Amino acid sequence: IEERRCRRNNRVEGMEWLMSTTQVQSLSAPERRRKRGIITMSVLGIFGFIVFGFLPKSGQPVTFSFVLGKEWILVKEWIINSKTGSLAFSGGSLIAILIAAFQFRARKTVGLASGLFGATFLMSFLCWAAAGKFIPFTGLLQGALFLSVPLIFGAMAGVLSERSGVINIAIEGQLLAGAFMSGVVASLSQNKWAGLLIAPLAGVAISWLLAVFAIKYGIDQVVLGFVLNVLVIGLTNFFYKRLLIPYQSTWNAGGTFAPIEIPVLSKIPVIGPIFFSQSIIVYLMYVAVALIHIALFKSKWGLRTRSVGEHPTAAESVGIDVNKVRFRNVLLAGAVAGLGGAFFTLGAVGSFSKEMTAGKGFIALAALIFGRWSPLGAVAAALIFGFADNLQGLLTITGTPIPSEFMLMVPYVATIIAVSGLVGRVRAPAADGIPYSRGSH
């Protein structure tokens, strides 16, 4: 009996040792995410080296321009052979992959190597796609930021509402309402500032409907969001046909804000024209992103917001009014999205046109998902989508081997990659989209 007991104890100890060894050797969730990212970079890097650098038999010169306006000149133009540039930059992307692999084995972050890979892969692609062409590189980046502005505002609206547990499919309607009201009020008052001030209120009006029906009455939030989008599209189309087209000079001629050049900073080569020679709406975007990120992770309001989005029952147990927090955040999200809508009229075009948001609210929602419901992650995703949008326009104008329609697919393909888990698991806030009744468990 004693011998059997000893053998049983040895087997138990062996199983415990095996389990502990397996746990030590298994990768944590961030490490698995980094590993998937390295695998994805490896596939893209090998593809780029073969297609961009190795397959072309001869190369034409590519001209990159780095001067856009009156900024200080560091490098005016850079002319490089397309095949040589593609080979060099694609080789650089492979080196970045090796660096990322070594950093992963050393259990270090691979952010710097990932950034290096992205830059070299992009330059390799540009050298291949723009063979014999002229690329205004600074203008390309400035246009990318310009097209990203409504996406960033929309993504920030999504962060505010979904972090507190309310799915915001109505971002498209909030952007469109802000664009319509800002253009109309600016036209009637002949004051662009009045239009800018009314835009957040238009977004709040749509968000109020979302909050009432989703939070108070528990309506399905996805269906409700689509209904609100259709409602805003219908109303704006009706008034556009009845008022804005017949009386365009009175109702639809608000104008745009002129760019504001920040002294000294706007003169910095490349960076200056991109970030510090923009309209007031872009500067407000900088402020909104900074405030939302700091408040969400460094303030009591942010802690409450994240708690009601992750575990509303626990939040209620410590005295937090869950639905009150959600209601306020949804209204605040509408204000941010409405301000982003003003960019379409007062920041870009100067007048309202039918359905001018053109699905940007849904792209903003994709940026939110791709950025893992984080303010800075959503901004990075929106910048990538804006860059892809601007790049496809440039490629269409210059004429390249790639049809522009493929570039339009980039935001959606990137979203599918993010959701599918190829670069890591994407998880929404645990209580996102789940109505909450006070006292429920």
Side-chain angles (χ1 to χ4, degrees), residues 12-348:
V12 171
E13 291 176 359
M15 289 296 295
E16 291 177 349
W17 175 83
L18 181 61
M19 291 175 64
S20 63
T21 304
T22 305
Q23 290 173 356
V24 170
Q25 292 178 349
S26 63
L27 299 177
S28 63
E31 289 174 335
R32 289 196 298 270
R33 186 164 60 247
R34 288 196 292 269
K35 183 177 180 180
R36 292 191 187 100
I38 293 173
I39 293 173
T40 303
M41 288 192 298
S42 301
V43 173
L44 291 175
I46 294 172
F47 173 83
F49 183 78
I50 295 174
V51 175
F52 304 151
F54 186 74
L55 287 182
K57 296 181 179 180
S58 61
Q60 297 176 306
V62 180
T63 303
F64 293 97
S65 173
F66 298 95
V67 178
L68 191 62
K70 299 179 180 180
E71 70 271 22
W72 298 323
I73 299 176
L74 183 63
V75 178
K76 186 175 182 179
E77 287 184 352
W78 183 32
I79 302 175
I80 185 173
N81 182 275
S82 61
K83 184 175 178 61
T84 303
S86 296
L87 276 172
F89 285 115
S90 59
S93 65
L94 296 179
I95 293 174
I97 295 169
L98 292 176
I99 295 174
F102 283 120
Q103 289 178 333
F104 175 77
R105 288 180 62 87
R107 295 185 177 273
K108 296 180 180 179
T109 59
V110 297
L112 183 61
S114 300
L116 178 62
F117 170 81
T120 52
F121 183 83
L122 171 64
M123 290 301 298
S124 175
F125 168 75
L126 287 177
C127 288
W128 171 76
K133 309 297 181 181
F134 176 85
I135 299 294
F137 192 77
T138 303
L140 177 64
L141 297 181
Q142 187 188 57
L145 177 63
F146 186 83
L147 294 176
S148 300
V149 172
L151 302 181
I152 293 175
F153 274 113
M156 292 303 102
V159 168
L160 290 171
S161 59
E162 299 207 11
R163 275 287 192 164
S164 59
V166 179
I167 296 176
N168 193 356
I169 302 295
I171 296 174
E172 176 78 5
Q174 294 160 4
L175 289 172
L176 189 60
F180 177 82
M181 289 303 300
S182 62
V184 169
V185 171
S187 300
L188 293 176
S189 64
Q190 290 299 302
N191 188 334
K192 292 185 285 291
W193 288 99
L196 185 62
L197 291 175
I198 202 65
L201 298 180
V204 168
I206 306 303
S207 285
W208 182 82
L209 294 174
L210 174 65
V212 168
F213 288 102
I215 298 174
K216 186 175 181 180
Y217 297 106
I219 303 298
D220 185 281
Q221 296 170 14
V222 175
V223 175
L224 177 60
F226 278 105
V227 170
L228 291 176
N229 289 334
V230 174
L231 173 64
V232 176
I233 291 173
L235 288 175
T236 54
N237 286 350
F238 173 78
F239 288 114
Y240 178 71
K241 294 178 181 178
R242 291 301 181 93
L243 294 174
L244 272 61
I245 291 180
Y247 310 103
Q248 184 173 358
S249 60
T250 303
W251 285 82
N252 199 19
T256 60
F257 285 104
I260 301 173
E261 295 187 356
I262 298 179
V264 181
L265 293 179
S266 62
K267 299 294 184 180
I268 300 175
V270 182
I271 297 176
I274 297 172
F275 294 103
F276 305 113
S277 181
Q278 298 284 355
S279 69
I280 185 63
I281 301 178
V282 179
Y283 295 127
L284 289 176
M285 181 194 72
Y286 299 159
V287 175
V289 171
L291 288 178
I292 291 172
H293 177 75
I294 294 172
L296 190 60
F297 297 106
K298 302 293 183 181
S299 70
K300 183 171 69 175
W301 167 83
L303 180 61
R304 291 186 173 187
T305 295
R306 289 181 284 125
S307 65
V308 300
E310 292 289 345
H311 204 309
T313 304
E316 186 190 42
S317 68
V318 295
I320 298 175
D321 190 332
V322 173
N323 286 335
K324 188 175 182 180
V325 172
R326 288 182 172 183
F327 205 98
R328 289 176 176 176
N329 281 7
V330 171
L331 295 184
L332 182 59
V336 173
L339 184 60
F343 178 80
F344 290 98
T345 49
L346 303 181

